[in-house]
Amino acid sequence: MIDIGSLTLEELTEQFKTELGLPAFRAKQVYKWLADGASDFSEMTNISKDLRNNLSNIYYISVATIEKKLVSVYDKTVKYLLSFNDGEMVESVVMNYHHGYTICLSSQVGCKMGCTFCATGQGGFTRNLTPSEMLAQIHSAQKDLGIRISNIVLMGMGEPLDNYDNVLRFLRLVSNENNFNIGMRHISLSTCGLVDRIYDLEKENLQLTLSVSLHAPNDVIRSRTMPVNKRYPIDTLLNACRSYAAATNRRISFEYAMISGVNDSDECAKELASRLKGMLCHVNLIPVNPVDNTGYRKSARDRQQAFIRILGKHGITATVRRTLGADINASCGQLRGRHLKK
Ligand code: SAH
Ligand code: SF4
């Protein structure tokens, strides 16, 4: 069976022509249904029953079924536990900012990277998501909430650059005018720092925002919390980031989850400042979200302020990221983790 939702309109048109002898306008009709979120061929009412049957024997449509939905009482942030055709589950989160709706998407079921503070990392890796499964997460949220998503962050479960080809195809599909038509400038991709793939991404020259999960100012602390650092140490990573920023002329956004007593001292802030000196970047400070069994605690408010002050003194802008959906564990991986334990 062919995954129809992962094809471009051009590819579908070509397949319809050569495999089924169908004219281009048929492909366009079917593609429109898919782009509008059809979850079954039976919904495609401007196509004959025979053809619909025929298509459902050759193609399948990826759906993301809502298994659980949590709505924050504070800020209306919505978190979904979604299951795909094979029953595997991921989480997505929809946030309502003043400039529209942002969805936080998952790119893999689980993750191989094993970061010690991360609920997804604790659960291990199951499989990559297909491009159509990433699109299906957006369709499910839009249908459920009756809204249009305008911004995407690839910051849910999984390491997007560890599923490079599928993520790249997803990015091209979601930004295409025949599909969601969400511009690259409205998309962020977050990575734990797979250096080779950052250089690959640089060559694609996309206008998306690259977020890099740094979370530490040096190799000793970073290797302790992020095993990927043993493969790609900080200097190697930051060289890739400098190259990326210079080539794309896009500001890199560094994520820094502040963990009490681990990475939040004044010395850490000074070391971070000297490492980032001169780079086109911004630092997002995130009070770490406590995950079961990790023993990590959020840094106190004054630590956050000290970081902003020290970084600012060295010419680096930093902000504390607003935490949305604090009451629904909106950082990804926790809901699925608890669901599986039950
Ligand atoms: N794998 C990618 C993207 C998914 S994780 C990456 O690591 O960047 C999205 C973001 O959430 C990353 O910055 C990650 O480090 C952060 N994160 C994971 N667990 C967290 C926690 N318990 N508290 C705060 N941030 C966390
Ligand atoms: Fe994977 Fe990102 Fe979690 Fe690390 S923080 S385990 S890379 S999802």
Side-chain angles (χ1 to χ4, degrees):
M1 298 277 273
I2 299 171
D3 172 14
I4 194 167
S6 292
L7 301 175
T8 63
L9 173 60
E10 292 71 26
E11 289 165 338
L12 189 69
T13 307
E14 182 59 26
Q15 285 188 11
F16 270 23
K17 189 171 123 195
T18 54
E19 310 291 328
L20 301 163
L22 292 169
F25 81 89
R26 281 286 175 228
K28 211 162 190 171
Q29 282 177 321
V30 170
Y31 208 82
K32 177 86 169 58
W33 282 108
L34 295 169
D36 288 342
S39 52
D40 197 279
F41 290 103
S42 63
E43 295 169 33
M44 304 182 179
T45 45
N46 57 356
I47 290 163
S48 75
K49 242 194 176 134
D50 278 354
L51 181 53
R52 275 163 15 201
N53 272 337
N54 214 348
L55 292 177
S56 63
N57 289 326
I58 305 169
Y59 297 100
Y60 73 92
I61 301 176
S62 291
V63 265
T65 308
I66 299 171
E67 298 290 341
K68 217 178 225 179
K69 174 184 176 184
L70 298 176
V71 183
S72 167
V73 295
Y74 301 141
D75 50 43
K76 301 278 184 288
T77 295
V78 184
K79 178 161 179 160
Y80 294 104
L81 181 66
L82 302 169
S83 69
F84 296 113
N85 300 24
D86 67 351
E88 289 297 343
M89 286 185 242
V90 298
E91 296 173 22
S92 343
V93 179
V94 177
M95 295 153 287
N96 186 1
Y97 291 113
H98 49 271
H99 53 267
Y101 288 93
T102 298
I103 191 163
C104 177
L105 294 181
S106 293
S107 57
Q108 297 180 315
V109 182
C111 183
K112 296 175 201 158
M113 301 301 149
C115 303
T116 57
F117 47 78
C118 173
T120 305
Q122 289 186 350
F125 175 75
T126 305
R127 70 170 175 84
N128 282 326
L129 295 192
T130 60
S132 63
E133 287 172 329
M134 292 177 237
L135 295 169
Q137 294 171 59
I138 312 177
H139 282 306
S140 289
Q142 287 199 159
K143 272 194 241 175
D144 181 59
L145 299 171
I147 52 146
R148 278 202 80 77
I149 298 286
S150 52
N151 295 275
I152 297 170
V153 293
L154 279 163
M155 287 192 184
M157 299 171 67
E159 168 48 48
L161 296 187
D162 185 43
N163 184 15
Y164 190 85
D165 292 341
N166 285 341
V167 164
L168 258 282
R169 182 172 268 269
F170 160 75
L171 291 171
R172 304 232 187 261
L173 288 171
V174 81
S175 58
N176 189 281
E177 58 179 1
N178 296 307
N179 213 305
F180 279 96
N181 200 15
I182 297 175
M184 289 286 181
R185 284 179 180 274
H186 299 272
I187 303 176
S188 296
L189 184 154
S190 178
T191 177
C192 64
L194 300 183
V195 166
D196 297 338
R197 295 287 89 81
I198 292 176
Y199 283 110
D200 290 341
L201 193 65
E202 176 187 317
K203 290 191 205 101
E204 314 276 350
N205 202 13
L206 305 175
Q207 290 300 298
L208 54 75
T209 300
L210 183 65
S211 286
V212 175
S213 299
L214 204 53
H215 304 321
N218 60 48
D219 285 325
V220 175
I221 300 176
R222 196 163 192 266
S223 293
R224 220 185 280 148
T225 51
M226 300 182 72
V228 68
N229 193 68
K230 291 172 198 146
R231 194 158 27 128
Y232 301 112
I234 284 202
D235 282 336
T236 317
L237 173 58
L238 292 181
N239 282 339
C241 293
R242 276 196 193 85
S243 166
Y244 186 93
T248 59
N249 215 8
R250 302 281 297 164
R251 193 165 76 153
I252 302 235
S253 158
F254 288 106
E255 307 295 307
Y256 197 101
M258 298 190 69
I259 312 174
S260 181
V262 174
N263 63 0
D264 65 346
S265 67
D266 284 357
E267 287 65 43
C268 285
K270 284 175 199 155
E271 200 174 354
L272 182 64
S274 74
R275 277 230 146 82
L276 298 183
K277 213 173 153 181
M279 207 188 306
L280 186 60
C281 71
H282 179 87
V283 175
N284 267 321
L285 300 170
I286 314 143
V288 78
N289 211 321
V291 168
D292 301 348
N293 311 327
T294 60
Y296 292 140
R297 284 178 304 112
K298 273 188 201 356
S299 299
R301 242 205 157 77
D302 64 306
R303 289 286 83 225
Q304 302 169 13
Q305 294 315 317
F307 252 66
I308 293 180
R309 209 172 45 240
I310 293 167
L311 290 173
K313 223 166 59 191
H314 292 80
I316 294 155
T317 61
T319 42
V320 177
R321 195 204 277 159
R322 231 171 94 215
T323 39
L324 293 176
D327 54 332
I328 55 169
N329 286 315
S331 91
C332 273
Q334 299 185 23
L335 183 58
R336 175 175 172 268
R338 291 199 185 135
H339 188 84
L340 293 182
K341 264 185 221 145
K342 275 194 245 148

